[in-house]
Amino acid sequence: SDNTNSEGEECCNNDLCVPTAFNVTDHAWYVRKPMAYAEDYYGAWEGICLPFTADKVVASLNGEITHFYGSPSDEEAADPKRNIHTLHHEYWLRSLTSVERENGVPSAIFQRPDNDAVNGVVYTFSNPFFINKYGSWLYNKDANPYYAEEHTYPEYPRLAAEKPYIVRFPGERYYEFDLSSTFYNELLGEMEEAQTVTFNAYGKTQADHTSRVAATVPVTKAMQTAVADGYAHNGTFAAVEVSRGTVYGINHQGTAFDDASALSTVMPFRTYMSVTTDGAMARAAYSHLINISELKGGAISPDAMDDEDNAQNDGIIVRPIGGHRVSVESEVSSRMNVTTAVGLLYRILDIQPGIATYSGFQPGLYIFGKTKVMVK
């Protein structure tokens, strides 16, 4: 977290060059401080590509975290408590599958990793942080015991070595899952810094952490995932200059790859997009921007009833607006229960179509229907 290695030497965005492959017998790790934390459904994506397969991913305060993957079975879809694929995970990981065009602008489609019977592992997850820190605020342990128990994910696809991905980490909008620490600090009166995320690989001496017996760091080489329509998503272990028409870096907002990115340089262990050598179609229809397509991918909420990543209740959107007030925008007439964080009924709202303001709330966390809202 202080940008130094175990020898106390500065180690911040340095290039990595491995001329000879080697095995890690104990522990290898990579630390990332996110450039941004997701505050809504769009943006905050950043590239990641590592020289080893990550056995466990750990946030500096929240502890062990896992990514959404695959698709729920029919049984899981019918019973969300059993859904281990698109619910009950703490960050997003995607890989490129195709590039389409929307209004003439390329749109790169990134999907969750699929279940992996060949390269996946049986992953045991246990993280009591949420129960320990928020049990009296957010969790009824009897009704919602997920984080009070140990869970096993079969065929869990780990972040693979030398494969480019995009990744996104939750911000304050995701409440207790927030890795910017804003929610934690405001609720508990602490002053924690924004969290770093560590990707760990374990070797023979720590074999209990993984089903693999060794971690190998291979010879550094060019890496890319090419797609049929003329674009490639590339990982890099050395800094790469963004250049107009050939190399696209992710912009500051994390919404697109831009060939004039303000970042100008793609840092090591991150990713960029490029036109492939046979990408005649892509060159003929040149665009300086490649948007990141925003698809469904898992709501970070232990009590969510579907995998749509939004903050609404069947056409009703609730937003805090300060002054002990909330704004409710609705397309329907409805009656909404408002409960406290510990499940006590606080108020009943008669909702009408349109936008209305409700006042008189004491500062704190409330659940409006299915939506958690922090009122200030």
Side-chain angles (χ1 to χ4, degrees):
S1 59
D2 60 355
N3 298 327
T4 59
N5 62 19
S6 58
E7 304 297 325
E9 301 164 333
E10 185 173 359
C11 184
C12 183
N13 288 329
N14 293 341
D15 290 353
L16 173 71
C17 180
V18 181
T20 303
F22 63 91
N23 290 330
V24 175
T25 58
D26 186 64
H27 182 199
W29 67 93
Y30 167 74
V31 179
R32 164 77 59 91
K33 186 169 187 179
M35 295 184 62
Y37 302 87
E39 297 298 346
D40 52 36
Y41 184 49
Y42 302 99
W45 292 104
E46 50 190 78
I48 187 167
C49 185
L50 299 180
F52 52 74
T53 295
D55 293 311
K56 288 190 183 291
V57 181
V58 180
S60 52
L61 178 63
N62 282 25
E64 186 176 344
I65 56 178
T66 56
H67 60 79
F68 302 101
Y69 69 99
S71 300
S73 64
D74 292 341
E75 292 77 10
E76 288 177 324
D79 183 3
K81 291 181 179 179
R82 299 173 56 190
N83 184 352
I84 62 172
H85 294 92
T86 55
L87 294 177
H88 310 304
H89 296 285
E90 300 78 34
Y91 75 102
W92 298 269
L93 182 72
R94 305 281 181 84
S95 56
L96 183 66
T97 57
S98 64
V99 178
E100 300 177 357
R101 284 189 175 269
E102 298 177 0
N103 299 320
V105 178
S107 182
I109 297 175
F110 292 82
Q111 300 278 22
R112 297 186 301 266
D114 289 328
N115 287 39
D116 195 334
V118 177
N119 298 312
V121 296
V122 177
Y123 190 104
T124 301
F125 175 78
S126 178
N127 183 354
F129 170 82
F130 300 99
I131 291 293
N132 292 342
K133 291 297 181 181
Y134 300 119
S136 61
W137 292 85
L138 304 174
Y139 288 96
N140 179 322
K141 295 181 184 180
D142 296 325
N144 183 23
Y146 189 85
Y147 286 97
E149 301 172 351
E150 184 178 273
H151 299 275
T152 299
Y153 307 137
E155 301 175 7
Y156 178 78
R158 297 172 298 170
L159 187 153
E162 299 187 287
K163 182 175 180 178
Y165 298 90
I166 58 172
V167 66
R168 180 168 73 160
F169 303 100
E172 183 183 9
R173 175 252 189 271
Y174 293 96
Y175 304 107
E176 66 269 33
F177 301 96
D178 171 28
L179 296 188
S180 74
S181 298
T182 304
F183 177 81
Y184 179 90
N185 291 338
E186 290 186 355
L187 186 67
L188 302 179
E190 302 289 346
M191 298 182 64
E192 295 288 343
E193 295 183 358
Q195 298 184 51
T196 57
V197 181
T198 303
F199 298 81
N200 299 280
Y202 301 103
K204 293 180 180 179
T205 61
Q206 300 196 44
D208 59 312
H209 287 282
T210 173
S211 63
R212 302 294 186 264
V213 296
T216 299
V217 177
V219 173
T220 301
K221 63 181 185 298
M223 295 160 288
Q224 69 177 25
T225 301
V227 292
D229 35 328
Y231 291 94
H233 187 215
N234 308 266
T236 182
F237 299 152
V240 175
E241 295 295 323
V242 173
S243 54
R244 180 171 291 275
T246 57
V247 174
Y248 299 74
I250 292 183
N251 60 14
H252 274 303
Q253 296 77 28
T255 58
F257 289 84
D258 192 340
D259 72 355
S261 171
L263 301 178
S264 71
T265 302
V266 180
M267 291 291 103
F269 310 110
R270 296 180 184 266
T271 68
Y272 61 93
M273 290 194 72
S274 62
V275 177
T276 61
T277 55
D278 61 348
M281 185 280 287
R283 289 193 297 273
Y286 171 73
S287 173
H288 73 87
L289 199 69
I290 306 171
N291 288 322
I292 297 174
S293 179
E294 300 286 349
L295 301 175
K296 291 183 179 181
I300 298 187
S301 173
D303 53 3
M305 297 306 291
D306 56 52
D307 68 353
E308 184 74 43
D309 181 15
N310 56 31
Q312 65 183 32
N313 295 271
D314 300 325
I316 303 175
I317 302 175
V318 183
R319 298 185 179 91
I321 57 175
H324 303 182
R325 300 173 300 160
V326 298
S327 172
V328 178
E329 180 178 350
S330 179
E331 301 173 356
V332 297
S333 297
S334 179
R335 173 167 289 189
M336 175 181 285
N337 289 342
V338 182
T339 61
T340 66
V342 294
L344 299 177
L345 182 63
Y346 181 82
R347 191 169 174 181
I348 298 175
L349 303 182
D350 288 314
I351 308 296
Q352 300 299 321
I355 300 176
T357 297
Y358 296 87
S359 59
F361 290 90
Q362 294 299 312
L365 182 73
Y366 298 89
I367 302 173
F368 289 74
K370 295 185 295 185
T371 300
K372 297 176 184 175
V373 175
M374 176 62 74
V375 180
K376 301 178 182 179

